[in-house]
């Protein structure tokens, strides 16, 4: 069965420091991978997605992620974190067929300190 | 791009009453929609898959008689929480797949509070 593991429940980084959020997936078919961000009380915002091609994908707000098939990973990175990046981050995997839902990881809460 | 409109965004209802949540695909036809539930400080959990013109498929542990899903057209799916109780208070969000270029599109979510 498909699954997504986000090993880190909570991460705290200093403003201006670099960030890496880990995501590992298990999927029986070609994975389509996503990172979403959710601020408290808000809906989901898509940061970036990987479908095929270049394994390093760029997203919004300065985020990027690298797909590593050999490691079944899709880690999210940002070189310099801003205080406004504090939020919950979800990694998800799907198949993009009409009847296959996204499967989400449990999320990583990011706190940013001055 | 693909847009899924979800209403209402917030609803407070009394225990024992029913609440209907609507999701509309505005510029595409969604044969299938997915309904998720998110409890505070938790991830999104799939509740059910809604298929146009047929019965929804519910995930294990989700009461189909409590969470009624209707997908009567290619652009509208509804979730009705019947006889709501405080433990049903949650964030409900729908999603659909438009196609390869757009991926999964989510509604803005509905925060249900049962008092």
């Amino acid at each position: 069965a498909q699954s997504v593991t986000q090993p880190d429940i909570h991460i705290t980084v200093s403003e201006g420091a670099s960030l890496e959020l880990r995501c590992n997936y298990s999927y029986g078919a070609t994975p389509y991978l996503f990172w979403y961000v959710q601020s408290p009380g808000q809906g989901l915002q898509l940061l970036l997605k990987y479908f095929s091609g270049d394994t390093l994908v760029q997203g919004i707000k300065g985020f990027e992620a690298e797909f590593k098939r050999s490691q079944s990973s899709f880690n999210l990175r940002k070189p310099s974190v801003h205080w406004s990046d504090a939020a919950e981050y979800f990694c998800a995997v799907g198949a993009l067929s009409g009847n296959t839902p996204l499967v989400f990881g449990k999320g990583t809460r990011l706190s940013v300190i001055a | 791009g693909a847009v899924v409109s979800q209403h209402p965004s917030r609803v407070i209802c009394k225990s024992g009453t029913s609440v209907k949540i609507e999701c509309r695909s505005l510029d595409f036809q969604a044969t299938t929609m997915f309904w998720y539930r998110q409890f505070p400080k938790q991830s999104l959990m799939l509740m059910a898959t809604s298929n146009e013109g047929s019965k929804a498929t519910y995930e294990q542990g989700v009461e189909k008689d409590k969470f009624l899903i209707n997908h009567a057209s290619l652009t509208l799916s509804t979730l009705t929480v019947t006889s709501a109780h405080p433990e049903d208070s949650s964030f409900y969000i729908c999603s659909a797949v438009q196609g390869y270029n757009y991926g999964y599109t989510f509604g803005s979510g509905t925060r249900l509070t049962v008092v």
Side-chain angles (χ1 to χ4, degrees):
Chain A
Q2 49 264 41
S3 66
V4 177
T5 301
Q6 293 180 248
D8 305 304
I9 296 173
H10 184 205
I11 285 181
T12 300
V13 299
S14 298
E15 191 170 16
S18 63
L19 169 71
E20 182 170 34
L21 301 183
R22 295 182 291 165
C23 172
N24 292 94
Y25 66 90
S26 174
Y27 205 68
T30 301
Y32 295 91
L33 296 154
F34 304 81
W35 274 99
Y36 290 89
V37 61
Q38 185 180 37
S39 297
Q42 302 298 311
L44 296 174
Q45 182 179 25
L46 178 67
L47 286 176
L48 47 78
K49 59 183 183 279
Y50 173 77
F51 288 178
S52 64
D54 193 343
T55 57
L56 183 64
V57 293
Q58 303 297 320
I60 62 172
K61 304 185 177 184
F63 285 93
E64 66 177 26
E66 186 171 12
F67 171 61
K68 292 185 177 180
R69 186 184 297 276
S70 61
Q71 298 178 21
S72 298
S73 70
F74 189 55
N75 295 347
L76 181 72
R77 300 193 293 250
K78 186 170 184 177
S80 177
V81 170
H82 188 262
W83 64 266
S84 60
D85 293 325
E88 190 84 20
Y89 290 80
F90 294 99
C91 181
V93 65
L96 277 193
S97 66
N99 58 356
T100 304
L102 269 183
V103 176
F104 287 86
K106 292 187 181 297
T108 297
R109 183 162 60 95
L110 174 65
S111 296
V112 181
I113 58 175
Chain B
V3 175
V4 172
S5 175
Q6 183 171 348
H7 294 281
S9 57
R10 292 179 180 272
V11 58
I12 300 174
C13 71
K14 292 185 177 181
S15 187
T17 62
S18 295
V19 172
K20 179 184 284 188
I21 301 169
E22 291 189 350
C23 272
R24 292 180 184 274
S25 55
L26 296 187
D27 47 7
F28 68 101
Q29 294 182 331
T31 309
T32 301
M33 278 201 182
F34 307 106
W35 287 93
Y36 294 84
R37 178 170 55 185
Q38 183 183 32
F39 291 111
K41 300 189 185 301
Q42 294 188 26
S43 186
L44 286 81
M45 298 300 296
L46 181 69
M47 297 176 65
T49 300
S50 160
N51 296 295
E52 186 267 336
S54 64
K55 290 184 178 180
T57 303
Y58 292 82
E59 296 300 298
Q60 190 173 10
V62 177
E63 301 173 60
K64 62 180 181 181
D65 295 331
K66 181 172 188 60
F67 299 99
L68 300 180
I69 291 174
N70 185 285
H71 196 152
S73 77
L74 287 172
T75 58
L76 175 64
S77 177
T78 61
L79 168 66
T80 301
V81 183
T82 63
S83 187
H85 288 95
E87 57 265 31
D88 299 323
S89 298
S90 188
F91 187 65
Y92 294 87
I93 190 165
C94 62
S95 172
V97 178
Q98 183 182 8
Y100 184 86
N101 288 330
Y102 296 102
Y104 295 82
T105 301
F106 285 85
S108 54
T110 298
R111 188 160 303 281
L112 169 64
T113 303
V114 184
V115 298

